[in-house]
Amino acid sequence: MNPTRNGPQVALFDYGAGNLHSLAKGLEAGGARVTVTTDWFEALDAQALVLPGVGSFGAAVQALEGHETEVRDALLDGLPCLGICLGMQLFFPDSEEGEGSGIGLIQGRVRRLRARTVPQMGWNDVETGEDPLFRDLSHLTAYYANSFVCEPEEPETVVAHSQYEDQRFAAAVRRGRSWGVQFHPEKSSRAGLTLLRNFLAQVTP
Amino acid sequence: MLRPRVIACLDVQDGRVVKGTRFVELRDVGDPVELARRYEAEGADEIVFLDISASHEGRSTLLETVRRTAEVLFIPLTVGGGVRTEDDMNALLRAGADKVSVNSGAVRDPDVLTRGARLFGSQCVVASIDAKWSQEGPAGPGWYHHTHGGRTRTDLEAVAWAKECARRGAGEILLTSMDRDGVRTGYDLELTAAVADAVSVPVIASGGAGRAEHLRDGLTRGRADAVLLAGILHDGLTTVTELKEALAGWDIPVRLPDAAA
């Protein structure tokens, strides 16, 4: 059985900027059939949605404009979603990075890192908990490239933490079947591919 | 805790990895895709491709090389060489680069850093600085930034230029000491520390790595966030794994390949 033919059908949303190849290949390595799309109708019709972490907040909210409610409702309805870096930040109502609104799936703020060196660029340890996204990943070190972090209002939405300089921040959040990760699994070598597989395992449990 | 990075750099020309010192005496050392994968397996934290093709054909070959690499590489890839406009940046990012480094293009048009940061995020924009000591620059003795693969000296003092690049939107500085490049006597620690202290974005030390002690010194005394190496890997003198094990032995908290499993 060829997993690429029978795995879940995943929509990878394209905001029009940045590298999507590695993420598409990483998801395919986990058995997904990946469609890269700029069309929200098609994206919300897939078995799972992935919001990639490339481009700027401004470019992404432009692509989202007019569809915020529709996307939020689909996720609240149970469409499995993985938001990566900027894609995670889009779960929140807005961001200090720029004008425009995210989908408001999780309440809270997206704020600039309070650190001497920004962006945070490189591999950082992730304190993972019991969430199935982190299955077999109790000692995760993942690749980050971010200037902003999410600060959810409800601490129970945070399912993993990392520490950068003096700031402890949300490495991952979850609401229902939507997960957001601040790091880049598609750039985190074998451990990152394991995380993508764990996400796909949640799509068709 | 953020791990100090060890970055493998490949000079690419017409789709092949070449190495002499970066600025002269090139010879073919292999296929970029294959080498990039090998370095990922050895535990490299990132890969950098610097394209030194002069021709138009070489540039389209580069996009194809980046595309092939992005499909099999699962660590970050930075690509530089000949980037002048945000369209050039976009073409490389769309082909599969995670970051783009800009050198001559930023001297000609410093605003390209700002436009790139606005469109793609500053974490995608790397300012590449090739610094060489000169007794007689316009700002007096100091390190001066060079363009065009090191052939042209500018009037830009390297530390001030690094600050300017960061202010304009670069999210990282790739700092090469031309005096040390290919010499294998260690990074220029004075230059590296001067730039690292002056900017609030990460600094990659480049030029001069010959053995593990040099990497250690670059990360400690040079205060670099990352160290870049090329020649000693391609020549098979050592491996990323060996270098990282040595660094870990000195209590430098690098990511070890086992931890990545």
Side-chain angles (χ1 to χ4, degrees), chain B residues 45-152:
Chain B
D45 296 308
E46 284 185 45
I47 303 290
V48 172
F49 284 173
L50 287 180
D51 183 54
I52 54 170
S53 310
S55 65
H56 181 67
E57 293 73 24
R59 312 249 346 123
S60 23
T61 310
L62 174 70
L63 288 177
E64 189 47 41
T65 304
V66 171
R67 220 169 270 131
R68 286 197 296 129
T69 307
E71 294 190 348
V72 294
L73 189 74
F74 295 103
I75 57 174
L77 173 66
T78 300
V79 183
V83 176
R84 290 169 181 277
T85 65
E86 55 271 43
D87 288 345
D88 295 340
M89 290 185 188
N90 191 44
L92 287 168
L93 295 171
R94 293 300 273 181
D98 301 293
K99 308 186 233 179
V100 172
S101 88
V102 190
N103 181 335
S104 310
V107 173
R108 257 172 39 136
D109 172 17
D111 189 58
V112 74
L113 300 171
T114 312
R115 298 195 304 275
R118 199 171 53 225
L119 287 165
F120 314 116
S122 65
Q123 79 288 343
C124 280
V125 181
V126 181
S128 167
I129 297 180
D130 288 336
K132 191 175 189 332
W133 180 264
S134 169
Q135 283 299 12
E136 40 204 61
W143 294 283
Y144 284 87
H145 175 48
H146 286 60
T147 58
H148 302 91
R151 292 189 301 278
T152 312

Side-chain angles (χ1 to χ4, degrees), chain A residues 49-51 75 78-85 87-88 91 105-106 131-134 157 159 171-182 195 198-203:
Chain A
L49 172 66
V50 175
L51 300 174
L75 302 192
L79 173 68
C81 177
L82 178 64
I84 296 170
C85 193
M88 167 187 182
F91 285 177
L105 176 75
I106 296 177
D131 195 276
L133 192 65
F134 299 110
T157 54
V159 293
V173 294
R174 176 180 184 177
R175 178 167 181 194
R177 301 182 80 196
S178 295
W179 287 265
V181 291
Q182 187 58 68
L195 185 138
N198 289 344
F199 168 69
L200 294 169
Q202 294 301 307
V203 174

Side-chain angles (χ1 to χ4, degrees), chain A residues 24-138:
Chain A
K25 291 292 161 191
L27 289 163
E28 282 170 10
R33 290 169 295 150
V34 178
T35 310
V36 177
T37 181
T38 56
D39 175 12
W40 285 110
F41 185 81
E42 186 180 25
L44 300 182
D45 202 35
Q47 285 175 281
L49 172 66
V50 175
L51 300 174
V54 294
S56 64
F57 184 78
V61 292
Q62 230 170 3
L64 189 62
E65 205 178 346
H67 300 275
E68 299 90 339
T69 312
E70 201 184 329
V71 177
R72 184 182 60 229
D73 289 350
L75 302 192
L76 287 173
D77 262 0
L79 173 68
C81 177
L82 178 64
I84 296 170
C85 193
L86 175 64
M88 167 187 182
Q89 295 169 7
L90 291 176
F91 285 177
F92 290 78
D94 50 30
S95 167
E96 279 186 2
E97 187 180 355
E99 300 287 304
S101 33
I103 64 172
L105 176 75
I106 296 177
Q107 292 310 306
R109 310 188 57 193
V110 180
R111 298 187 64 188
R112 196 172 161 82
L113 271 167
R114 293 182 296 277
R116 192 247 171 226
T117 303
V118 177
Q120 169 184 213
M121 192 85 86
W123 299 73
N124 202 339
D125 300 336
V126 182
E127 303 159 36
T128 60
E130 295 300 305
D131 195 276
L133 192 65
F134 299 110
R135 200 184 153 179
D136 299 330
L137 294 172
S138 50

Side-chain angles (χ1 to χ4, degrees), chain A residues 180-192:
Chain A
V181 291
Q182 187 58 68
F183 52 87
H184 287 266
E186 78 283 14
K187 294 288 145 192
S188 299
S189 206
R190 278 185 294 166

Side-chain angles (χ1 to χ4, degrees), chain B residues 1 22 40 42 62 65 73 77-78 80 91 136 150 159 167-168 177 183 187 191 210 215 217 243 246 249 255:
Chain B
M1 171 183 28
R22 183 159 134 216
E40 175 183 354
E42 287 180 7
L62 174 70
T65 304
L73 189 74
L77 173 66
T78 300
E136 40 204 61
V159 180
R167 187 181 67 75
R168 285 181 179 271
S177 161
V183 183
Y187 299 105
L191 166 69
L215 277 59
D217 294 347
L243 292 167
R255 179 185 68 106

